[in-house]
Amino acid sequence: MEIECETKIPGDESLVLLWIQENNAVVKRWKDFKTTWYIQALKQKLLEWDSELSLLLQKIQGLPSTVNSLPLELTVVYNTLLIHVNITGGFLCEHQEQLKNALYRVLLPSSRSDMSDTTITELWKKVLNAVHSQETYSALNRLAGLQGALWLAENQLEPIINLFHLLNQAPTFSCRKYTLLELIKAWKVPHQAEEEIHTLEGACHLKDILYTSAAFLQGLASMDAKDFPQAVDLLQEAASSLCTSKILSEIYTCLGWSFYKMAKPQTALQFWKQALSVDFHCLPALYHTSCLYSDMNRMESELEALTLLHTELENYCVDPSSINTFFLFRTELLLNASILSHYVHVPNAYEVKYLIANRYLRRNSAEQAAEHYMDLMTALLQESQPDSIYPSPAPLPRIPLIYLEATTALLETEKFQDAITVSEEVLENLSHIIAGLTSMVEAEASQETKSHIEWVNCVLWASTAHFLQGEAHGKLRNHKESVTAYTRCINLMTKVQFTDSGSFKASDHIKEHHIFTVLKASAFLGRSHQFLQIEDKKISLMNMRLALQAMQGFPGALFCLIGMLWKTEHKKIVALEFRRWRYQGKMACLLDQYEEIKMNLPLHLTVCIRKSFLLDKSLVQELEDYLQNEEKETITNS
């Protein structure tokens, strides 16, 4: 065993006493300050104390270490690290270097070899295996706790486990492999109540926070590995230990997420409610609750949660009184924000506003949807979106899609002129992009697949804007303008050709192909309606047939064609065909096909064209009556 150096320097005792007073004065000012709870001045005070302790450490380390000075030096290193970690918001490489240098200072007097290449793990082994005074050993334990925290923050579990095996030094700990939590719990921190050299944070508190942090971080690692039962056990351990209300609410949020993934929605909801009861500003719990209600098709509850979340996001500001400054060592300092980002990150206010508008549109509450879409578009024009270094769990769709959904909501609320204006915005912003590539041939020549897809998206958005303008003009009885808008929609879509080979294969882009097909069929059908309004039945009929040609079995076109033929051609032929469709179940089949196709359609198209797929009830009744009369005549004649 290495023996601590007995070297003494003349006058060192009086210097040590003076330095102890300087250290204790800083600790006293911290303890006095935290009772005032004046959070706004905290950072400035920390910088002042950091400067004072750093100067004190320079003076101490300007002389060789001695038996008398080592406890003080190690304690000042400990206090300095605690303050600096708070200033930087977490552990840095320079903190590891400070710990390493402190260990050198402990070993240097008794070492006869160069230790410059010795690893930090080996240094700790040498230091903890040596014999020290009670004061030095106590100070080393506190530094070891900070070393463990630094390694934990870097997810280096093996060196922490080895370090705590050394700290426990019990024979039983060599008998089997103990978990990190067991080792931390077994760590018997030295009693320091009567120590002359004061610390900013006691070793017992250090132990408790290390235990909480280790349990929480390992629980998060289990969540990442999708081992949710293990995650629940670890997170519940973390929740039962010492932590701030912010961390506790985050632990409950993660517990809720784990139970959600274990298909236990009611338990998940209970934990998210607990998270909100601990910290009402725990917005991730509120967001996850809205997602769960969405999965459960409880749209009213989902909207309530989203509305509350949006209000909180708009009004959110850090309340100084809610920040726990009582402890300098906290779990927050060990957590890398990226580790938590997937589980406790929320959309911004714009993204939540979009979700609210979208949900209202989905449940056919067009009035509320239109109001929220207009608010969102106004906000996007006036302000830029806040930057975030982490991916949003609900990013905004592309701006043209937001405008197209807004147009649809305005159409549903019969604000036709507003709908035309909003869709015109889409066309103006896309015109230069579409003009850049006038045909698919040019797009193929560019040899950029990403460019192809972007161009096709722009064509689709512009075509949809023309289609929606056609719908709006039709409702305003501007039949010629409506026909023109539908025609522009159809002509623009002809620029994209889905083929069996080439750059844009239909088999590779099934979703886009479905959207183009339905949109084209709907545009032909819309144009047919307008020609019917201006009593050009021949052209109207032709457009109905073109709609069916664009998409065979298109329910809307087929039902409209039935109605047109019933009024203009032989009723007997239509009635016989209707009977065949009815008895063979073809109508139900067509509607089932549409339900499958609808899954690939964007919301603005689903809402806008759904009415076109319905067979007029009065016409169905006429056809039924016609068939019954035919059957009666057949029976009578027989």
Side-chain angles (χ1 to χ4, degrees):
M1 298 284 280
E2 296 183 39
I3 306 300
E4 193 178 66
C5 178
E6 295 292 334
T7 304
K8 290 191 178 183
I9 295 172
D12 71 330
E13 288 187 11
S14 60
L15 276 176
V16 169
L17 288 173
L18 183 64
W19 290 337
I20 287 173
Q21 289 172 7
E22 288 185 42
N23 172 80
N24 291 354
V26 173
V27 174
K28 184 178 185 305
R29 287 204 298 278
W30 155 246
K31 290 182 177 179
D32 289 342
F33 172 82
K34 67 183 180 182
T35 59
T36 65
W37 216 257
Y38 189 51
I39 187 68
Q40 287 82 355
L42 176 61
K43 188 169 185 181
Q44 182 59 41
K45 289 293 183 182
L46 288 174
L47 289 169
E48 289 175 16
W49 299 330
D50 180 59
S51 178
E52 290 181 43
L53 287 174
S54 297
L55 286 172
L56 175 59
L57 191 60
Q58 285 178 21
K59 288 188 283 186
I60 297 170
Q61 293 182 341
L63 296 173
S65 59
T66 67
V67 174
N68 287 340
S69 66
L70 261 182
L72 170 65
E73 181 177 342
L74 296 176
T75 303
V76 174
V77 170
Y78 172 77
N79 286 338
T80 305
L81 281 172
L82 278 177
I83 287 179
H84 203 257
V85 167
N86 272 269
I87 292 170
T88 57
F91 287 93
L92 304 176
C93 295
E94 62 189 83
H95 301 139
Q96 180 74 285
E97 289 303 311
Q98 280 184 270
L99 286 166
K100 198 170 186 180
N101 184 56
L103 298 180
Y104 281 148
R105 297 268 300 171
V106 174
L107 294 171
L108 198 57
S110 60
S111 177
R112 297 177 183 177
S113 60
D114 182 14
M115 293 184 294
S116 58
D117 294 331
T118 309
T119 65
I120 187 76
T121 303
E122 290 170 340
L123 285 173
W124 273 112
K125 188 173 183 181
K126 285 177 180 289
V127 166
L128 292 175
N129 282 333
V131 176
H132 303 287
S133 68
Q134 183 60 41
E135 292 81 4
T136 301
Y137 183 70
S138 180
L140 281 170
N141 266 258
R142 289 192 292 271
L143 274 187
L146 284 186
Q147 177 68 76
L150 190 152
W151 276 331
L152 190 59
E154 294 176 348
N155 196 32
Q156 296 186 47
L157 298 185
E158 188 176 342
I160 310 174
I161 290 172
N162 292 334
L163 177 62
F164 276 92
H165 265 292
L166 287 169
L167 286 170
N168 286 304
Q169 293 182 337
T172 54
F173 275 87
S174 59
C175 299
R176 70 175 176 88
K177 189 175 181 180
Y178 281 77
T179 67
L180 176 57
L181 292 182
E182 287 174 326
L183 289 168
I184 296 174
K185 188 177 282 189
W187 177 29
K188 294 180 180 179
V189 295
H191 186 64
Q192 63 178 96
E194 298 179 1
E195 286 187 10
E196 183 183 8
I197 309 166
H198 298 168
T199 59
L200 293 167
E201 209 80 270
C204 290
H205 171 78
L206 202 66
K207 174 182 175 178
D208 290 340
I209 293 297
L210 268 176
Y211 187 85
T212 302
S213 304
F216 193 8
L217 286 166
Q218 289 185 98
L220 289 169
S222 295
M223 289 174 72
D224 288 339
K226 302 190 185 309
D227 186 353
F228 295 108
Q230 175 70 14
V232 166
D233 290 341
L234 289 164
L235 291 169
Q236 286 179 331
E237 275 295 308
S240 66
S241 189
L242 182 65
C243 53
T244 61
S245 58
K246 179 179 180 293
I247 290 295
L248 184 58
S249 66
E250 289 175 349
I251 293 170
Y252 284 146
T253 300
C254 292
L255 276 166
W257 176 273
S258 298
F259 280 109
Y260 170 65
K261 288 297 182 180
M262 291 162 66
K264 296 180 178 179
Q266 294 304 326
T267 308
L269 275 176
Q270 287 304 312
F271 273 107
W272 289 330
K273 286 178 181 177
Q274 275 187 273
L276 288 166
S277 68
V278 170
D279 179 6
F280 188 71
H281 296 295
C282 184
L283 304 186
L286 201 50
Y287 173 66
H288 290 321
T289 299
S290 74
C291 293
L292 179 55
Y293 284 139
S294 178
D295 290 347
M296 297 167 71
N297 290 319
R298 292 173 58 180
M299 195 171 287
E300 193 66 41
S301 298
E302 180 194 5
L303 278 166
E304 285 179 15
L306 286 172
T307 303
L308 183 56
L309 176 59
H310 184 263
T311 302
E312 285 296 308
L313 283 167
E314 283 203 317
N315 300 327
Y316 183 73
C317 64
V318 178
D319 178 9
S321 64
S322 69
I323 298 176
N324 189 340
T325 59
F326 195 77
F327 298 122
L328 285 173
F329 187 65
R330 308 177 305 282
T331 300
E332 289 90 332
L333 298 172
L334 279 67
L335 284 175
N336 185 328
S338 62
I339 299 172
L340 274 170
S341 63
H342 183 57
Y343 308 110
V344 300
H345 193 41
V346 295
N348 62 42
Y350 299 100
E351 292 163 341
V352 175
K353 172 65 82 169
Y354 169 75
L355 290 175
I356 295 170
N358 180 274
R359 297 306 184 264
Y360 274 121
L361 188 57
R362 286 184 186 278
R363 76 166 198 179
N364 304 327
S365 301
E367 196 75 44
Q368 293 98 320
E371 182 181 336
H372 286 289
Y373 277 117
M374 296 304 284
D375 288 345
L376 175 60
M377 291 188 295
T378 302
L380 290 173
L381 286 171
Q382 291 176 348
E383 306 169 32
S384 58
Q385 285 194 67
D387 294 327
S388 176
I389 57 175
Y390 304 112
S392 170
L396 278 179
R398 302 287 292 276
I399 297 299
L401 286 171
I402 296 174
Y403 275 61
L404 291 173
E405 288 182 19
T407 304
T408 301
L410 291 166
L411 278 172
E412 291 290 290
T413 56
E414 300 184 0
K415 296 176 181 177
F416 305 122
Q417 196 57 58
D418 289 339
I420 293 168
T421 302
V422 173
S423 55
E424 192 60 41
E425 284 284 324
V426 177
L427 293 168
E428 286 179 8
N429 284 287
L430 293 175
S431 58
H432 67 285
I433 301 174
I434 295 170
L437 288 170
T438 56
S439 69
M440 201 60 201
V441 176
E442 289 182 35
E444 288 177 350
S446 72
Q447 295 299 312
E448 295 181 11
T449 305
K450 189 175 180 180
S451 173
H452 295 175
I453 296 171
E454 181 65 8
W455 180 75
V456 169
N457 281 335
C458 289
V459 171
L460 178 58
W461 296 332
S463 301
T464 305
H466 283 305
F467 172 77
L468 295 174
Q469 283 190 338
E471 293 281 297
H473 280 300
K475 297 294 184 181
L476 290 170
R477 301 188 182 278
N478 301 330
H479 302 303
K480 289 184 180 180
E481 289 87 344
S482 181
V483 167
T484 300
Y486 285 128
T487 302
R488 286 173 178 165
C489 169
I490 294 162
N491 290 343
L492 193 52
M493 280 190 288
T494 59
K495 294 181 182 295
V496 180
Q497 298 296 323
F498 291 89
T499 59
D500 294 331
S501 61
S503 299
F504 218 76
K505 296 180 183 179
S507 57
D508 294 337
H509 301 279
I510 296 172
K511 183 176 179 179
E512 291 85 352
H513 187 219
H514 271 314
I515 295 171
F516 267 89
T517 303
V518 173
L519 182 58
K520 189 182 289 186
S522 298
F524 275 123
L525 187 57
R527 196 166 69 172
S528 170
H529 287 157
Q530 296 310 308
F531 279 118
L532 192 60
Q533 293 300 314
I534 56 179
E535 298 186 351
D536 194 334
K537 295 181 180 179
K538 184 177 180 181
I539 302 297
S540 175
L541 187 59
M542 181 189 73
N543 274 274
M544 286 182 194
R545 295 189 183 280
L546 286 171
L548 279 171
Q549 186 178 328
M551 180 181 175
Q552 289 187 357
F554 183 66
L558 191 56
F559 295 158
C560 288
L561 186 59
I562 289 172
M564 175 68 81
L565 292 174
W566 179 256
K567 294 173 183 176
T568 59
E569 297 187 10
H570 299 293
K571 291 188 176 182
K572 190 164 188 174
I573 296 172
V574 176
L576 288 171
E577 196 65 21
F578 176 76
R579 176 187 286 154
R580 187 165 61 85
W581 285 332
R582 186 181 63 180
Y583 287 121
Q584 292 181 4
K586 285 195 174 184
M587 284 187 183
C589 182
L590 284 173
L591 291 172
D592 288 343
Q593 286 175 7
Y594 168 62
E595 287 299 320
E596 187 176 338
I597 292 167
K598 192 168 65 170
M599 293 172 65
N600 287 318
L601 294 180
L603 177 61
H604 53 269
L605 276 183
T606 306
V607 171
C608 197
I609 66 178
R610 63 188 169 200
K611 295 172 185 175
S612 301
F613 287 82
L614 302 174
L615 187 55
D616 185 76
K617 290 182 180 179
S618 61
L619 176 59
V620 172
Q621 190 59 53
E622 281 187 53
L623 287 162
E624 293 283 3
D625 291 344
Y626 185 88
L627 288 173
Q628 285 179 9
N629 289 333
E630 269 200 337
E631 289 171 1
K632 286 179 182 178
E633 287 179 12
T634 303
I635 293 170
T636 302
N637 292 333
S638 62

